[in-house]
Amino acid sequence: MNRDQVKGRVEETKGKIKEVAGKLTNDDELELEGKVQKHVGKVQSGFGDVKDDIKNAVDDE
């Protein structure tokens, strides 16, 4: 697991927590912020997955 995968998954988790907290407190701004952060984390971890796949493909050659 590379750095982008770890950071992305951490951001996803933090975003999910903010999203739930926003729902519980009826804070639409916090909920939206959490959704955005969660999706940014998904993109970052996806980027890390691609980097890992490329590295593994090169190592297999």
Side-chain angles (χ1 to χ4, degrees):
M1 191 170 263
N2 64 41
R3 184 176 300 168
D4 286 310
Q5 290 169 312
V6 172
K7 284 184 176 182
R9 286 183 176 87
V10 167
E11 288 302 310
E12 280 184 71
T13 303
K14 289 178 0 184
K16 184 64 179 174
I17 291 169
K18 283 183 183 179
E19 183 181 356
V20 170
K23 284 181 183 179
L24 291 174
T25 60
N26 290 324
D27 185 341
D28 293 337
E29 190 174 316
L30 182 60
E31 184 179 347
L32 179 61
E33 183 181 331
K35 286 181 181 181
V36 170
Q37 188 172 10
K38 182 174 68 172
H39 290 294
V40 167
K42 283 184 182 183
V43 169
Q44 186 173 10
S45 64
F47 176 71
D49 292 342
V50 169
K51 280 178 38 178
D52 200 38
D53 290 345
I54 290 170
K55 181 179 180 272
N56 290 336
V58 170
D59 290 343
D60 289 343
E61 289 181 4

